[in-house]
Amino acid sequence: MLYTAGAIRTMGRVDNRDAFLDTYALERERGITIFSKQAVFSLGTTQVTLLDTPGHVDFSPEMERTLQVLDYAILVISGADGVQGHTRTLWKLLRRYQVPVFVFVNKMDQEGTDRDRLLGELKQSLSDGITAFDLIEEKQDLEEFYENIAMCDEAALESYLQEGELSDEKITELIHRRKVFPCYFGSALKLEGVQKLLDGMERYTHWNLARCAGGMEEPSCRKSKG
């Protein structure tokens, strides 16, 4: 994300022990994040503070402290492994703190990964509101996209039946209210799907950020943009 957004000039790799935010020797030795770090990048006209938290179950307390200050979370799931036990734990914590979530299914370049199967697994294991946002290229895809979102909320369904589409403002509101969870598929190592994720975040987060900046008292308005 930082490389694609232009915040850093070279991509690091965990297996090369030069990941940008894994700065401690133990993190590089084990190939995992142990301590939360932050970095800043621009998303359109918005400055975003990215908080990188541990994903390993052994460091859950460190991760949970970070959840309490987020405006949004990006839940990264391995396409090779699918939904694991700790994934469900993270999902419950995100629900506890009422954090809107974008999902990125990584490692889709690996052999044996199946996009439709993984999307079905996410819906069944985590939430029916998880909706693919990354393949909206043809009119028929757009219609199916609107239908999938509309089914997540009664008012959205009424609006869709009347208008035949859903506005960006309505979709953004549904994400903010945790009715819809945008899902993207790709390979971070090959920079596949990352730009679409960033574009989606820029397009569908302005409603919440505007309310926070305007001083509205919203439960999920935090000081940090994560």
Side-chain angles (χ1 to χ4, degrees), residues 99-181:
V99 181
V101 182
F102 284 72
V103 178
F104 185 79
V105 183
N106 194 23
K107 302 183 180 180
M108 291 300 294
D109 57 319
Q110 294 192 9
E111 186 176 353
T113 55
D114 186 306
R115 185 179 185 279
D116 291 338
R117 179 186 61 79
L118 285 164
L119 183 59
E121 182 181 355
L122 291 168
K123 286 178 172 290
Q124 182 177 5
S125 301
L126 303 180
S127 171
D128 283 337
I130 294 177
T131 305
F133 269 56
D134 57 341
L135 294 179
I136 315 169
E137 299 173 357
E138 305 294 336
K139 182 178 179 181
Q140 61 201 44
D141 296 329
L142 188 58
E143 291 176 354
E144 183 179 355
F145 171 69
Y146 286 143
E147 289 175 4
N148 290 336
I149 292 178
M151 293 300 293
C152 298
D153 180 76
E154 186 174 339
L157 179 58
E158 292 180 3
S159 177
Y160 173 66
L161 292 175
Q162 292 176 2
E163 305 294 334
E165 61 181 10
L166 292 171
S167 66
D168 283 0
E169 289 77 10
K170 173 57 71 175
I171 294 172
T172 304
E173 178 187 351
L174 292 171
I175 295 169
H176 171 69
R177 291 169 51 206
R178 289 178 46 85
K179 295 285 187 176
V180 172
F181 305 94

Side-chain angles (χ1 to χ4, degrees), residues 1 14 34 61 92 143 157 163 177 181 186 193 196 205 217:
M1 289 177 65
V14 172
I34 298 175
K92 290 177 182 177
E143 291 176 354
L157 179 58
E163 305 294 334
R177 291 169 51 206
F181 305 94
K196 286 188 175 181
T205 58
E217 292 297 329

